[in-house]
């Protein structure tokens, strides 16, 4: 590089650098919150001004003739105007894309649905894709919330129905007793007693379920022998099974331990066993098996219910869901509250123990499988 060239580089760097620095500082402090179109236009103006400043500086230093100098200035100004106009066009396009994205996002806020419209530069497209993904997630959680809300509403109406029916019966019976019109007072007393028991169980189930849903089911975990829990549940279910002609059987690996809350675990086992007896025809069999399996302990309850349909299997664990649409409380039933809460409670308790529960068909009935982690 000869001396002249070095001089040109130095002069143009100084003139262009100084102008660009001043211009960009002015843009930053004055315009950085303005529209992207103004910003891009301003940056283009600064770039053109830097080029013109460099040219003017070098032209002065090189002692160009007045005519040549005029030509250079004219060319620079024309090129600058064209450049700035081009930049403004790009800025306008970006501003339009971004405002259409803003409109789409506003609609998303109102309707919860976002239509992915990939326009504009990569960043805006990514933003649009991200919003579309968020919209899908939002729709999913809204759907789940709706289902939950619906099941809660159903629960309230069913529970009030299930409480109102026995209460009406009890009122009629107590009135008959009061008026001395009951022909068999002892039967009335027994019936009232069993209705009260059923309602107490229902209220107790509801309370348990509300504790599960509120997340304040406090478990007192300790090593529990699964065999003990199962034989207790079988022993207390035995009279009911006998009355229904159902055979009860069980086999649990000797010494099989699980870390669990003993009373909650026995609630799980007895809910499953009671359901199994209720859905097994006379002369059928209910079998409980406990063994080490998976990464912990597996407990299965098999019955003779004749199998569940695919959609029933999906819903059995839902709160207040009952297979037969008719919700007729079984008077004096020893099977539970009869409100469709049993399996929801089973799932809540098992999940609080970090376990899982599932159901599968297995001739001649179905099999509920509870898996609990080892410790
Ligand atoms: N072992 C089973 N075999 C076949 N169907 C079952 C079995 N256990 C439950 N179900 C079906 O799932 C439904 C819900 O069971 P869940 O135990 O939650 O309620 P419930 O037994 O009807 O009432 P609750 O347990 O509150 O007394 C039952 O109504 C029944 O249709
Ligand atoms: Mg039940």
């Amino acid at each position: 590089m000869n001396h002249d060239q070095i001089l040109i580089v130095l002069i143009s760097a100084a003139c262009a650098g100084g102008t660009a620095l001043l211009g960009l500082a002015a843009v930053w402090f004055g315009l950085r919150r303005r529209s992207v179109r103004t910003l891009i236009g301003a940056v283009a103006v600064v770039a053109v001004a830097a080029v013109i400043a460099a040219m003017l500086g070098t032209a002065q230093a090189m002692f160009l003739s007045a005519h040549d100098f005029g030509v250079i200035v004219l060319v620079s100004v024309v090129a600058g105007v064209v450049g700035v106009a081009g930049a403004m066009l790009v800025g306008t396009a970006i501003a339009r894309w971004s405002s259409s994205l803003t409109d789409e996002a506003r609609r998303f806020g109102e309707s919860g649905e976002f239509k992915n419209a990939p326009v504009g530069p990569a960043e805006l497209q990514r933003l649009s894709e991200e919003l579309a993904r968020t919209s899908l997630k939002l729709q999913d959680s809204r759907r789940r919330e709706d289902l939950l809300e619906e099941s809660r509403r159903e629960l309230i109406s069913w529970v009030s129905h299930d409480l109102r029916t026995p209460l009406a019966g009890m009122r009629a019976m107590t009135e008959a007793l009061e008026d001395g019109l009951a022909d068999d007072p002892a039967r009335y007393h027994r019936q009232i007693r069993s209705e009260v028991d059923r309602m107490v169980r229902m209220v107790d189930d509801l309370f348990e379920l509300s504790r599960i849903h509120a997340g304040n089911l406090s478990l007192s975990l300790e090593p529990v022998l699964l065999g003990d829990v199962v034989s207790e549940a079988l022993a207390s279910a035995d009279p009911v099974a006998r009355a229904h002609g159902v055979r009860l059987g069980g086999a649990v690996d000797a010494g099989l331990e699980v870390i669990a809350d003993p009373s909650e675990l026995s609630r799980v086992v007895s809910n499953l066993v009671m359901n199994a007896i209720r859905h097994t025809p006379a002369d059928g069999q209910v079998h409980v098996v406990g063994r080490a399996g998976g990464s912990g302990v597996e407990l299965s309850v098999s019955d003779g219910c004749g199998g569940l349909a695919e959609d029933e299997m999906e819903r059995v664990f839902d709160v207040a869901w009952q297979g037969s649409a008719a919700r007729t409380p079984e008077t004096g039933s020893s099977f539970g509250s009869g409100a469709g809460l049993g399996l929801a409670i089973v799932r809540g308790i098992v999940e609080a123990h970090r376990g899982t529960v599932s159901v599968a068909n297995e001739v001649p009935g179905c099999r509920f499988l509870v898996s609990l982690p080892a410790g």
Side-chain angles (χ1 to χ4, degrees), residues 275 278-279 303 305 316 321-323 336-343 366 368:
N275 276 353
R278 176 192 267 174
H279 296 99
D303 62 22
C305 71
V316 280
W321 185 85
Q322 289 195 301
S337 60
L341 307 178
L343 288 177
C366 51
F368 285 80

Side-chain angles (χ1 to χ4, degrees), residues 30-54:
L31 301 174
R32 72 170 183 270
R33 299 204 187 287
R34 303 291 285 271
S35 136
V36 70
R37 190 171 62 145
T38 316
L39 217 58
I40 290 183
V43 170
V45 168
V46 171
V48 167
V51 171
I52 293 177

Side-chain angles (χ1 to χ4, degrees), residues 180-217:
L181 296 175
D183 43 6
D184 183 359
R187 187 173 61 83
Y188 275 34
H189 283 131
R190 271 198 311 279
Q191 207 163 326
I192 291 174
R193 172 65 199 256
S194 82
E195 288 290 10
V196 168
D197 283 349
R198 204 180 73 80
M199 290 198 307
V200 166
R201 276 198 300 268
M202 188 192 281
V203 171
D204 186 48
D205 278 356
L206 280 171
F207 184 60
E208 176 86 356
L209 204 61
S210 84
R211 283 201 307 155
I212 290 171
H213 282 172
N216 54 13
L217 185 69

Side-chain angles (χ1 to χ4, degrees), residues 242-256:
R242 274 176 200 281
H244 284 79
V246 171
R247 274 169 292 132
L248 273 185
V252 178
D253 288 355
L256 186 60

